[in-house]
């Protein structure tokens, strides 16, 4: 038995036992098997652990444990009290109607529809697993562990291979290609950066080691959409931070910029990125073809505005629009998440998905500022990181079919869980601490209660 396999089994066992105590570890159990799934790593294949549907089994484990813990506390998992909850239900309801009544092929549409239903369920489970402030950092720690492991295997152990100037052969479920992997890591990277600035010392040290490894993988995937998403996330992070926390954010961005300059030594990466802004006559064939595919996708949306079910463009109707734009593929993705969403689940489905992500980002943004005003400045960085990650995701998905990826639902769940943790926070006790929410401010001024932005019952005003 290899050391890597032994370490993986030990982590799985520890998380399984911890899941019996707190629901956040049950959510972490799923994320652990997502990032470190045996099917995708050498130690799992060598031990014969591939092919056992680890994500499916861990998903059911998470489902029952989160329901069990919340039932013991008298809490409801499937809450529809906020706009984001309602939009999540709307996404599923719309997809169900489109799949049943508008999809030309139920067999083709069933796979994407089943995944969408799973991701909506996962949103509610992750959200319901966040009970107190420390749960947010626990979940972030597991994300750091998963993303950091990918960075470690690629950077230190030289896993994967470079094919046509891009990293291939490394991935996770739903992100087996370079573009998808880059989109995932850009979404998660701001949360890793937040852990570097704030959190328990062990988590900060681990995140400090993991951040440059993850950044190196982002560069190696050499995806133009990923680069633009990374730039957008960095630009948004500073203004998204509460004013009192911006000195910490600026320090983190400077450290990230230095690491980026050090890692950005491959001239081919820079050249590929610069082709994003090149005029039409200088643009490479890949970028030019992508624009042509967008035209075909838009034409399909105009003809079928209510949607045509899962994989509608890629496998069903897209081939009918290829000759009109000079292409002759029978199976080809549209390479734009927004157009693809409209092709599959209709314009109304696109509106629901974009609203879902924007409302979640707005909730994190507002809570971040209220937390900072209450004297917990560094806790406000979490909300800014979620907003930054969602912006990076939404920019990156302009260049690939990632809008239906499950990590978007993770971020939305963390955003709403983060908002609700501080909305449920009790007034500080006589020693200045409150279980489940506030801690004494590190500043000399005592934390105010009710904090600015909260009413007398401790509920956040205006937080969905």
């Amino acid at each position: 038995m290899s050391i890597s396999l032994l370490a993986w089994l030990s982590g799985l066992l520890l998380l399984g036992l911890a899941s019996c105590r707190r629901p956040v570890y049950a959510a972490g159990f799923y994320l652990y098997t997502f990032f470190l799934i045996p099917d995708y790593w050498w130690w799992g294949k060598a031990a014969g652990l591939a092919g056992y549907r680890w994500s499916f089994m861990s998903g059911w484990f998470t489902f029952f444990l989160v329901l069990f813990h919340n039932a013991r506390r008298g809490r409801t998992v499937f809450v529809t009290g906020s706009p984001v909850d309602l939009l999540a239900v709307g996404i599923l309801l719309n997809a169900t109607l489109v799949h049943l009544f508008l999809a030309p092929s139920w067999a083709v549409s069933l796979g994407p529809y089943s995944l969408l239903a799973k991701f909506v369920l996962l949103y509610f489970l992750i959200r319901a697993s966040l009970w107190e402030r420390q749960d947010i950092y626990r979940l972030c720690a597991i994300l750091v562990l998963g993303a950091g492991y990918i960075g470690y295997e690629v950077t230190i152990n030289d896993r994967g291979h470079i094919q046509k100037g891009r990293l291939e052969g490394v991935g996770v479920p739903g992100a087996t290609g370079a573009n998808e992997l880059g989109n995932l890591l850009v979404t998660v990277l701001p949360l890793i950066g937040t852990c570097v600035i704030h959190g328990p010392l062990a988590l900060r040290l681990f995140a400090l080691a993991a951040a440059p490894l993850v950044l190196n993988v982002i560069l190696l995937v050499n995806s133009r959409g990923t680069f633009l998403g990374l730039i957008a996330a960095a630009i948004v992070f500073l203004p998204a931070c509460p004013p009192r926390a911006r000195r910490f954010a600026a320090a983190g961005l400077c450290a990230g910029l230095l690491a980026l300059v050090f890692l950005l030594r491959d001239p081919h990466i820079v050249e590929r990125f610069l082709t994003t802004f090149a005029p039409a006559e200088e643009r490479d064939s890949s970028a030019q073809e992508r624009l042509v595919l967008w035209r075909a996708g838009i034409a399909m949306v105009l003809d079928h505005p209510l949607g045509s079910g899962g994989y509608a463009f890629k496998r069903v109707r897209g081939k009918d629009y290829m000759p009109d734009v000079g292409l002759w593929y029978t199976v080809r993705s549209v390479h734009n998440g927004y157009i693809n969403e409209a092709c599959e689940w209709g314009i109304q489905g696109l509106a629901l998905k974009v609203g879902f992500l924007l409302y979640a980002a707005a909730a994190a943004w507002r809570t971040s500022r209220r937390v900072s005003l209450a004297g917990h400045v560094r806790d406000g960085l979490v909300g800014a990181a979620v907003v930054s990650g969602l912006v990076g995701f939404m920019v990156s998905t302009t260049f690939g079919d990632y809008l239906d990826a499950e990590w978007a639902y993770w971020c939305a769940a963390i955003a709403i869980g983060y908002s609700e943790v501080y909305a449920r926070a009790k007034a500080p006790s006589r020693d200045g601490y409150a279980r489940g929410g506030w801690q004494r401010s590190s500043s000399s001024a005592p934390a105010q209660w009710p904090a600015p932005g909260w009413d007398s019952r401790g509920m956040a005003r205006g937080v969905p």
Side-chain angles (χ1 to χ4, degrees), residues 231-287:
I231 292 171
I235 291 173
V236 166
F237 185 55
L238 197 60
C241 285
R244 298 173 64 185
R246 284 177 186 162
R247 65 183 185 276
F248 303 112
L253 286 175
C254 288
L257 182 61
L258 290 175
L260 182 63
V261 171
F262 175 76
L263 293 169
L264 200 59
R265 291 171 291 180
D266 188 345
H268 297 293
I269 294 176
V270 180
E271 290 171 7
R272 178 174 171 81
F273 171 70
L274 292 177
T275 61
T276 306
F277 310 101
E281 61 273 11
E282 298 178 13
R283 195 176 294 127
D284 62 31
S285 59
S286 173

Side-chain angles (χ1 to χ4, degrees), residues 60-203:
W60 279 110
F61 179 85
T62 300
F63 175 78
F64 287 118
L65 264 292
V66 172
L67 256 63
F68 170 74
H69 284 295
N70 280 273
R72 288 184 60 195
R73 291 286 188 96
R75 295 182 176 183
T76 303
V77 172
F78 303 105
V79 182
T80 56
S82 76
V84 181
D85 292 342
L86 294 173
L87 287 167
V89 173
I91 289 170
L92 179 57
L93 179 60
N94 173 73
T96 302
L97 294 174
V98 172
H99 172 71
L100 292 177
F101 299 107
L102 298 177
S105 172
W106 282 7
V108 173
S109 179
L110 181 60
Y113 171 72
S114 300
L115 286 176
L116 184 148
K118 168 193 167 183
F119 299 157
V120 170
L121 173 61
L122 192 60
Y123 159 77
F124 283 104
L125 293 176
I126 292 177
R127 177 195 159 185
S129 72
L130 299 174
W131 284 4
E132 64 180 33
R133 172 185 177 272
Q134 289 304 321
D135 287 341
I136 297 169
Y137 288 103
R138 291 176 181 122
L139 196 64
C140 287
I142 295 168
L143 290 174
V144 172
L145 171 65
Y149 179 74
I150 295 175
Y152 166 77
E153 286 286 2
V154 171
T155 306
I156 307 300
N157 288 342
D158 202 25
R159 305 295 176 191
H161 57 273
I162 301 299
Q163 182 178 341
K164 296 181 180 179
R166 309 172 71 177
L167 177 69
E168 299 288 355
V170 175
V172 293
T176 54
N179 290 325
E180 297 90 345
L181 182 61
N183 179 263
L184 165 64
L185 295 180
V186 161
T187 307
V188 174
L189 184 62
L191 288 170
I192 298 176
T194 299
C195 294
V196 172
I197 300 170
H198 185 45
L201 179 60
L203 175 58

Side-chain angles (χ1 to χ4, degrees), residues 134-445:
Q134 289 304 321
D135 287 341
I136 297 169
Y137 288 103
R138 291 176 181 122
L139 196 64
C140 287
I142 295 168
L143 290 174
V144 172
L145 171 65
Y149 179 74
I150 295 175
Y152 166 77
E153 286 286 2
V154 171
T155 306
I156 307 300
N157 288 342
D158 202 25
R159 305 295 176 191
H161 57 273
I162 301 299
Q163 182 178 341
K164 296 181 180 179
R166 309 172 71 177
L167 177 69
E168 299 288 355
V170 175
V172 293
T176 54
N179 290 325
E180 297 90 345
L181 182 61
N183 179 263
L184 165 64
L185 295 180
V186 161
T187 307
V188 174
L189 184 62
L191 288 170
I192 298 176
T194 299
C195 294
V196 172
I197 300 170
H198 185 45
L201 179 60
L203 175 58
R204 294 171 71 177
L205 292 175
F206 186 79
L208 186 64
L213 302 180
V214 173
L215 188 58
N216 183 54
V217 177
I218 290 175
L219 293 178
L220 290 177
V221 300
N222 203 7
S223 166
R224 282 172 289 226
T226 299
F227 293 155
L228 290 175
L230 182 63
I231 292 171
I235 291 173
V236 166
F237 185 55
L238 197 60
C241 285
R244 298 173 64 185
R246 284 177 186 162
R247 65 183 185 276
F248 303 112
L253 286 175
C254 288
L257 182 61
L258 290 175
L260 182 63
V261 171
F262 175 76
L263 293 169
L264 200 59
R265 291 171 291 180
D266 188 345
H268 297 293
I269 294 176
V270 180
E271 290 171 7
R272 178 174 171 81
F273 171 70
L274 292 177
T275 61
T276 306
F277 310 101
E281 61 273 11
E282 298 178 13
R283 195 176 294 127
D284 62 31
S285 59
S286 173
Q288 189 66 36
E289 184 178 276
R290 189 164 299 186
L291 296 177
V292 176
L293 285 167
W294 294 0
R295 286 167 47 200
I298 292 172
M300 177 178 162
V301 172
L302 294 176
D303 287 344
H304 305 278
L306 297 181
S308 300
Y311 289 142
F313 183 90
K314 185 176 182 178
R315 296 186 180 176
V316 182
R317 286 182 165 151
K319 63 180 181 294
D320 298 332
Y321 294 86
M322 296 291 183
D324 295 338
V325 294
L327 299 176
W328 306 95
Y329 297 108
T330 56
V331 177
R332 185 69 168 169
S333 62
V334 72
H335 285 288
N336 182 294
Y338 301 98
I339 298 175
N340 185 67
E341 192 78 11
C343 286
E344 293 186 348
W345 310 118
I347 295 174
Q348 73 283 359
L350 174 62
L352 288 167
K353 178 63 70 65
V354 172
F356 172 75
L357 297 176
L358 291 180
Y359 263 101
W365 179 296
R366 289 194 295 265
T367 304
S368 175
R369 274 153 173 70
R370 288 168 182 148
V371 168
S372 179
L373 285 172
H376 305 276
V377 177
R378 295 193 184 189
D379 282 347
L381 290 170
V382 175
V386 174
V387 172
S388 179
L390 282 172
V391 169
F393 169 83
M394 295 182 75
V395 170
S396 179
T397 199
T398 306
F399 300 89
D401 301 344
Y402 324 129
L403 194 63
D404 55 354
E406 64 177 281
W407 40 93
Y409 293 88
W410 302 349
C411 282
I414 293 172
I416 300 304
Y418 170 71
S419 300
E420 291 184 338
V421 160
Y422 288 100
R424 288 194 301 261
K426 301 292 190 294
S429 60
R430 280 179 289 183
D431 64 356
Y433 291 88
R435 182 177 179 82
W438 303 109
Q439 288 185 334
R440 186 190 298 274
S441 171
S442 58
S443 64
S444 57

